[in-house]
C-alpha cells in the first residue's frame, strides 16, 4: 500500500485549511455519493455556482488520497524512499578508501578491509581515498486530465462520476510508482533494464533451488573496497507468471542429494530461507509479458541502497485539481462553471504526481532470463 502515515498527514493538512463552506460541501458530496437524495438535490442546486471548484476540491482530494492509500504497491518492498527539495540534479556521493599504500606495521600483518596496527608513539599510517559521485537528473512529473462535457454535467444526480474518476486517478498515481521502478528491471522491448545491466547469471538458468543457490554464490563474488558483498538475506523479485513456481519451490519439504554413493535427505530451507519472495507484476506491464520467465536477486543490505524511489518535498502525495474555467456573459455576471469553459464547453480535472526511480549501485545484483542459454 501507499504510505498510510504520509497520506493521513496530507489529509489532516487539507482539513486544517478547509473553510466552513468547504466542509459543508464535503458533507453534501459524501452523502450524495452514498445515495442521499436530499444531499443530491442540494448539491445539484449549488453546483452551478462559479466557485464550485474551490468548494469541492478539498473533499475530492480527501476521497482521492484515501483511494490512493488503499492501492497495493510493491516498490516499497524493494527500493528506499528519498525526497528531494527541487527538480534538477540529485547528487549521490560515495567514499572509497585505497588501502594499497598500507603495509604490515608494528609486527602485525595488515589485511585489506581492516585497520593497520599502530605501535606505541608511532604515527598513524596515512591512507589515500577517492570520492565518486553519481548525478541523476530529476524531472519526475507525471499526470493526466479528464475532460467532462457540459452535456454530461447537465445530467443531474450522477455524482458516481466523481467517485469513479478519483478512483481511476488514484490507481494511475499509485501504479506510476511501481512502473517507475520496474523500468529499471526490464524494458518495453523485453530487454534488461539499466539497473541490472551486466549482472546476468551465466547460462540464464530457470528458477529452481539450484539456481537460487547459484545466484547467492554469484552475488557474493562482487566486492566493494576489497570486501565481498555478503548479505544474510536477499529479495527474490519476479513477475506474475512465476508466482506458482515460487510457491512450489518454497513449499518443498525435503530434497535428495547424491554424492557418489552417498544419498542425503535434506530440508531445502537452507537455500530458500534467506530469500524474501516479491511478486512484482509491474514487470509484466512494462515488458508486455516478454519477460515472464525472468527473475532477479537483490541483496537485502542496510549499508547502501540499491534503488531509490524519489519524490518531491512538499508534493509527496499526488494532487487532484479542478480547473476553474469561468467566463462572463455579455449581459454581465459570471457564466457558471457547470456550463463549461469558454472554448470547449468542458470542465477539466487533473491529477499530478511527481515520482521517479533510480539505481544507485549494482554490486551484488543478479538476474536470469530463465531461458537456459
Amino acid at each position: 500500500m501507499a504510505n498510510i502515515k504520509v497520506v493521513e498527514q496530507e489529509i489532516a493538512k487539507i482539513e486544517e485549511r478547509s473553510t466552513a463552506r468547504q466542509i459543508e460541501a464535503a458533507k453534501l458530496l459524501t452523502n450524495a455519493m452514498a445515495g442521499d437524495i436530499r444531499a443530491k438535490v442540494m448539491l445539484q442546486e449549488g453546483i452551478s455556482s462559479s466557485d464550485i471548484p474551490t468548494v469541492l476540491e478539498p473533499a475530492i482530494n480527501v476521497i482521492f488520497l484515501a483511494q490512493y492509500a488503499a492501492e497495493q504497491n510493491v516498490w516499497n518492498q524493494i527500493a528506499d524512499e528519498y525526497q528531494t527539495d527541487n527538480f534538477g540534479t540529485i547528487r549521490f556521493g560515495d567514499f572509497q578508501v585505497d588501502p594499497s599504500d598500507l603495509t604490515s606495521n608494528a609486527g602485525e600483518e595488515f589485511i585489506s578491509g581492516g585497520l593497520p596496527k599502530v605501535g606505541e608513539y608511532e604515527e598513524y599510517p596515512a591512507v589515500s581515498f577517492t570520492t565518486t559521485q553519481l548525478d541523476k537528473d530529476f524531472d519526475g512529473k507525471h499526470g493526466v486530465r479528464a475532460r467532462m462535457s457540459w452535456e454530461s454535467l447537465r445530467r443531474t444526480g450522477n455524482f458516481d462520476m466523481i467517485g469513479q474518476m478519483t478512483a481511476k486517478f488514484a490507481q494511475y498515481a499509485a501504479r506510476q510508482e511501481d512502473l517507475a521502478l520496474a523500468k529499471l528491471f526490464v524494458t518495453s522491448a523485453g530487454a534488461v533494464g539499466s539497473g541490472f545491466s551486466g549482472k546476468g547469471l551465466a547460462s540464464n538458468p530457470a528458477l529452481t533451488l539450484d539456481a537460487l543457490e547459484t545466484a547467492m554464490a554469484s552475488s557474493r563474488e562482487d566486492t566493494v573496497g576489497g570486501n565481498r558483498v555478503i548479505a544474510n538475506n536477499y529479495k527474490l523479485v519476479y513477475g506474475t507468471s512465476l508466482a506458482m513456481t515460487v510457491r512450489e519451490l518454497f513449499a518443498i519439504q525435503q530434497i535428495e542429494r547424491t554424492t557418489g554413493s552417498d544419498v542425503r535427505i535434506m530440508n531445502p530451507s537452507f537455500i530458500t530461507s534467506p530469500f524474501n519472495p516479491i511478486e512484482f507484476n509491474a514487470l509484466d506491464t512494462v515488458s508486455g509479458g516478454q519477460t515472464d520467465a525472468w527473475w532477479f536477486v537483490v541483496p537485502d543490505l542496510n549499508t547502501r541502497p540499491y534503488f531509490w524511489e524519489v519524490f518531491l518535498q512538499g508534493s509527496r502525495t499526488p494532487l487532484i485539481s479542478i480547473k476553474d474555467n469561468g467566463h462572463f456573459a455579455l449581459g454581465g455576471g459570471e457564466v457558471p462553471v457547470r456550463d463549461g469553459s469558454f472554448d470547449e464547453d468542458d470542465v477539466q480535472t487533473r491529477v499530478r504526481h511527481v515520482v521517479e526511480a533510480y539505481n544507485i549501485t549494482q554490486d551484488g545484483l543478479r538476474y536470469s532470463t530463465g531461458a537456459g542459454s
Side-chain angles (χ1 to χ4, degrees):
M1 285 187 179
N3 193 320
I4 301 295
K5 188 171 292 186
V6 170
V7 170
E8 289 175 345
Q9 292 171 350
E10 192 63 31
I11 289 176
K13 291 178 184 178
I14 293 174
E15 293 174 344
E16 285 177 5
R17 61 176 180 257
S18 296
T19 65
R21 190 156 181 259
Q22 288 173 333
I23 293 172
E24 184 61 29
K27 293 177 181 177
L28 285 176
L29 177 61
T30 301
N31 293 336
M33 292 175 66
D36 188 317
I37 297 177
R38 182 171 178 271
K40 284 185 179 183
V41 172
M42 293 179 66
L43 200 57
Q44 288 162 16
E45 291 175 351
I47 203 170
S48 59
S49 125
S50 63
D51 62 354
I52 196 65
T54 305
V55 174
L56 279 185
E57 191 163 344
I60 292 175
N61 263 290
V62 168
I63 295 171
F64 168 71
L65 287 174
Q67 292 165 331
Y68 164 72
E71 291 292 329
Q72 295 288 336
N73 277 113
V74 179
W75 71 262
N76 48 15
Q77 300 178 49
I78 304 170
D80 295 332
E81 179 176 326
Y82 178 82
Q83 293 191 33
T84 182
D85 58 0
N86 211 334
F87 294 105
T89 301
I90 304 174
R91 180 158 294 171
F92 307 97
D94 193 15
F95 178 85
Q96 294 290 336
V97 171
D98 180 7
S100 59
D101 294 334
L102 299 178
T103 59
S104 299
N105 200 36
E108 180 178 281
E109 181 184 6
F110 169 70
I111 304 299
S112 178
L115 294 173
K117 186 175 181 179
V118 181
E120 186 177 4
Y121 295 112
E122 287 187 354
E123 291 185 355
Y124 283 82
V127 66
S128 57
F129 63 90
T130 59
T131 57
T132 59
Q133 65 185 37
L134 179 65
D135 292 345
K136 300 288 187 179
D137 290 325
F138 179 62
D139 185 15
K141 185 173 71 173
H142 301 83
V144 69
R145 63 177 174 169
R147 302 174 61 190
M148 295 174 287
S149 70
W150 169 75
E151 289 86 352
S152 67
L153 290 176
R154 290 286 296 181
R155 301 186 185 103
T156 59
N158 187 19
F159 292 101
D160 286 343
M161 182 166 53
I162 294 177
Q164 293 169 5
M165 175 187 62
T166 54
K168 185 60 68 174
F169 280 178
Q171 180 184 355
Y172 289 161
R175 189 66 171 162
Q176 181 58 40
E177 296 173 5
D178 277 354
L179 293 175
L181 179 61
K183 288 190 291 185
L184 296 176
F185 285 66
V186 297
T187 71
S188 58
V192 66
S194 60
F196 283 82
S197 178
K199 293 299 178 179
L201 288 172
S203 301
N204 286 306
L207 184 56
T208 62
L209 291 175
D210 288 340
L212 285 178
E213 200 170 9
T214 298
M216 189 189 309
S218 178
S219 172
R220 295 182 171 213
E221 292 174 358
D222 287 2
T223 59
V224 178
N227 297 314
R228 289 180 179 268
V229 178
I230 304 298
N232 292 324
N233 297 292
Y234 299 83
K235 300 169 184 177
L236 173 62
V237 183
Y238 53 92
T240 303
S241 294
L242 286 179
M244 287 306 300
T245 300
V246 171
R247 290 188 181 187
E248 290 172 1
L249 284 180
F250 281 73
I252 296 174
Q253 299 297 313
Q254 62 180 32
I255 57 175
E256 183 179 288
R257 285 197 166 178
T258 303
T259 305
S261 59
D262 184 21
V263 178
R264 292 177 296 166
I265 304 299
M266 307 176 67
N267 187 328
S269 62
F270 77 94
I271 298 174
T272 57
S273 60
F275 288 93
N276 174 27
I278 300 172
E279 183 179 342
F280 196 17
N281 64 9
L283 299 177
D284 310 322
T285 304
V286 171
S287 70
Q290 300 178 78
T291 57
D292 286 352
W294 293 41
W295 52 280
F296 304 81
V297 170
V298 181
D300 194 354
L301 296 172
N302 295 323
T303 54
R304 53 193 297 154
Y306 283 96
F307 301 99
W308 270 5
E309 192 91 1
V310 180
F311 298 88
L312 184 65
Q313 288 180 6
S315 298
R316 168 58 183 83
T317 56
L319 171 71
I320 191 169
S321 55
I322 301 173
K323 184 177 182 181
D324 187 343
N325 285 311
H327 46 112
F328 297 90
L330 288 177
E334 290 188 52
V335 176
V337 167
R338 191 179 73 165
D339 284 347
S341 69
F342 182 82
D343 293 320
E344 298 95 3
D345 267 353
D346 67 352
V347 176
Q348 300 186 35
T349 303
R350 184 197 69 184
V351 62
R352 181 188 69 204
H353 198 18
V354 184
V355 59
E356 197 56 84
Y358 298 99
N359 170 237
I360 307 305
T361 184
Q362 291 185 312
D363 302 311
L365 295 179
R366 291 295 184 270
Y367 81 94
S368 173
T369 67
S373 60

